[in-house]
Amino acid sequence: RPTTAVLMLTNRCQLRCVYCYAAAGEQPEKGLSFESGKAVIDVVFDYAHKNSLPHFEVYFHGGGEPTYHWDVLQRLVEYARALPLPAHLSLTSNAMWSPAQLDWIAAHMDGLGISMDGMPETQNKQRPVKSGQHSSPVVMSNLAELDRRGVQYGIRITALPPFTSLPEDVRFICESMACNQLIQVEPAYNDMRGAISHPGQDQAAQFTQAFMEAYDIAAAHGRSLYYSGARPDALTSRFCNAPYEALIVTPDDRIVACYEVVGAQHPLAELSSMGRMQGERLVMEPEKRAQLQSLLDARRAACRACFAYWNCAGDCFTRAFLNGVERLGEESLRCQVNRTLTKYMLLSQVEAGGGVWRRQAGVRQVVEERC
């Protein structure tokens, strides 16, 4: 009974990010039709309305840039707003907008997430425009205008090995933008478009060290740095609600269980598939959904002895199952990263709160000694 719709509007994009898991802009062009998007919105509205919920949610996301499918985006927003229950509308975007698009987004979106990677040199290197030009000038100009108007937005950084620029990228964001208090950082251990890789030992250690430095910088600026694999503030039995409470549709009308599994070429595309659109009708495959949820339960059960059991909750299934579901109980280097950073955050919060111990050495030294 999902009350959140996640609409992957297109696989097109004006950027060519070096790490893009979906290789956006390189595949045959696909775009979600207004009719398919409307049908998905109708489903989540209906469940929310029947259960007397105060609102329903629509996220415009993608393995491409949602604003590239501009006309359909506008029509779907207009349709959702016209329904007899409030719609909470959110957009995840690269912020490569025209002035007219910025005006419309600022006026129509309740939530706004910006994918950008930090300092101009980092942004331009990792997220070039299709033509090879720099993307930072346009992005920074648009974010400055959002700040001027008092529009709230979140930042999601993708960091690449050897992660040496991450602390200064976080400092740049803290000092240059009035974004939300929470800044998200996720590592990509590959620099090849259309690929997903596990970290090597050196890469895992490099990210761990860089994140701890960036975490302290963010805290000094009154911001919180967030990484999905280490979240001691969260107490949950699910890493992500996407396989349980969201109705996610791709540009080619497939219903999937993860925001990242947008193309049939993804190694977990078959496992993530929950059904498809047939015209304006959703055809679900409950047995496939049950299979995935059974695997998620088994993965989490295998993690029962981990102290981060109620925070990580078995981790992201697209990471945990990347080597094959038959190895779902194995500990990985990502597990080590998650635990080390969880410990570091806990100790940092204890120290900041004047808590249960009085430190004799720096928090990082304590973590390095105990981990």
Side-chain angles (χ1 to χ4, degrees):
R1 297 177 177 83
T3 57
T4 298
V6 181
L7 305 180
M8 308 290 202
L9 292 186
T10 182
N11 65 353
R12 296 178 294 162
C13 187
Q14 63 273 72
L15 299 186
R16 292 296 183 268
C17 303
V18 298
Y19 48 74
C20 180
Y21 57 84
E26 296 181 7
Q27 310 297 325
E29 292 185 359
K30 295 175 182 176
L32 190 70
S33 69
F34 170 77
E35 290 72 23
S36 291
K38 174 181 175 295
V40 175
I41 291 173
D42 285 342
V43 170
V44 298
F45 160 76
D46 191 50
Y47 280 129
H49 190 260
K50 286 181 178 177
N51 287 279
S52 301
L53 297 180
H55 66 274
F56 65 99
E57 298 182 328
V58 182
Y59 287 81
F60 298 98
H61 211 282
E65 168 54 36
T67 61
Y68 220 103
H69 209 37
W70 186 244
D71 291 343
V72 171
L73 170 63
Q74 290 181 301
R75 291 179 65 195
L76 289 172
V77 166
E78 181 181 0
Y79 177 77
R81 291 291 191 207
L83 293 172
L85 189 68
H88 186 279
L89 306 180
S90 296
L91 170 69
T92 297
S93 174
N94 59 25
M96 293 289 292
W97 312 316
S98 69
Q101 287 178 316
L102 188 150
D103 288 341
W104 186 89
I105 289 166
H108 289 84
M109 290 297 159
D110 303 304
L112 186 56
I114 306 299
S115 295
M116 64 91 64
D117 291 348
M119 299 180 293
E121 51 266 44
T122 304
Q123 171 77 8
N124 294 332
K125 179 181 178 181
Q126 297 183 181
R127 299 176 66 84
V129 180
K130 177 183 178 181
S131 64
Q133 295 177 312
H134 292 165
S135 62
S136 184
V138 175
V139 173
M140 293 304 299
S141 175
N142 283 331
L143 297 187
E145 179 61 19
L146 293 179
D147 290 342
R148 190 187 69 79
R149 300 184 187 197
V151 176
Q152 288 290 292
Y153 57 92
I155 293 287
R156 184 194 189 279
I157 300 172
T158 299
L160 291 180
F163 305 106
T164 49
S165 72
L166 177 59
E168 292 308 312
D169 288 321
V170 169
R171 188 191 306 278
F172 174 81
I173 289 172
C174 290
E175 295 178 351
S176 304
M177 304 169 198
C179 58
N180 296 344
Q181 293 301 304
L182 194 64
I183 302 169
Q184 182 176 0
V185 175
E186 299 296 336
Y189 297 105
N190 62 279
D191 59 359
M192 183 171 63
R193 292 170 57 80
I196 301 174
S197 301
H198 283 307
Q201 186 74 54
D202 290 345
Q203 292 176 330
Q206 289 164 352
F207 175 69
T208 301
Q209 180 65 28
F211 184 90
M212 290 192 294
E213 293 177 16
Y215 183 86
D216 291 345
I217 290 170
H221 286 81
R223 307 286 183 90
S224 296
L225 204 62
Y226 170 82
Y227 158 62
S228 63
R231 43 190 188 180
D233 293 331
L235 297 177
T236 181
S237 60
R238 301 172 180 175
F239 175 84
C240 174
N241 282 331
Y244 300 92
E245 297 176 2
L247 190 57
I248 308 170
V249 60
T250 68
D252 57 355
D253 283 342
R254 292 179 301 111
I255 307 297
V256 296
C258 176
Y259 296 8
E260 290 191 7
V261 187
V262 293
Q265 73 277 8
H266 192 285
L268 296 178
E270 181 61 27
L271 179 64
S272 179
S273 177
M274 300 286 104
R276 65 179 302 105
M277 303 291 299
Q278 289 187 355
E280 297 181 29
R281 187 168 66 95
L282 276 73
V283 178
M284 302 301 294
E285 299 180 65
E287 68 284 355
K288 296 199 68 175
R289 183 172 181 270
Q291 175 195 16
L292 175 60
Q293 293 188 358
S294 176
L295 288 170
L296 293 175
D297 290 343
R299 163 67 184 182
R300 185 165 174 265
C303 300
R304 189 63 182 90
C306 178
F307 83 94
Y309 177 76
W310 290 104
N311 311 114
C312 176
D315 203 4
C316 169
F317 84 84
T318 63
R319 305 297 187 270
F321 295 167
L322 198 56
N323 284 336
V325 297
E326 69 278 2
R327 300 172 62 180
L328 60 85
E330 291 185 8
E331 180 180 316
S332 66
L333 284 171
R334 181 174 159 96
C335 292
Q336 294 178 25
V337 171
N338 294 356
R339 282 200 293 265
T340 301
L341 291 181
T342 299
K343 290 177 183 178
Y344 184 76
M345 292 180 186
L346 285 170
L347 289 171
S348 296
Q349 291 176 20
V350 167
E351 180 192 15
V356 297
W357 61 283
R358 188 176 300 277
R359 71 170 185 164
Q360 300 299 321
V363 174
R364 181 172 290 110
Q365 180 181 339
V366 173
V367 170
E368 290 171 349
E369 290 173 355
R370 302 203 190 288
C371 301

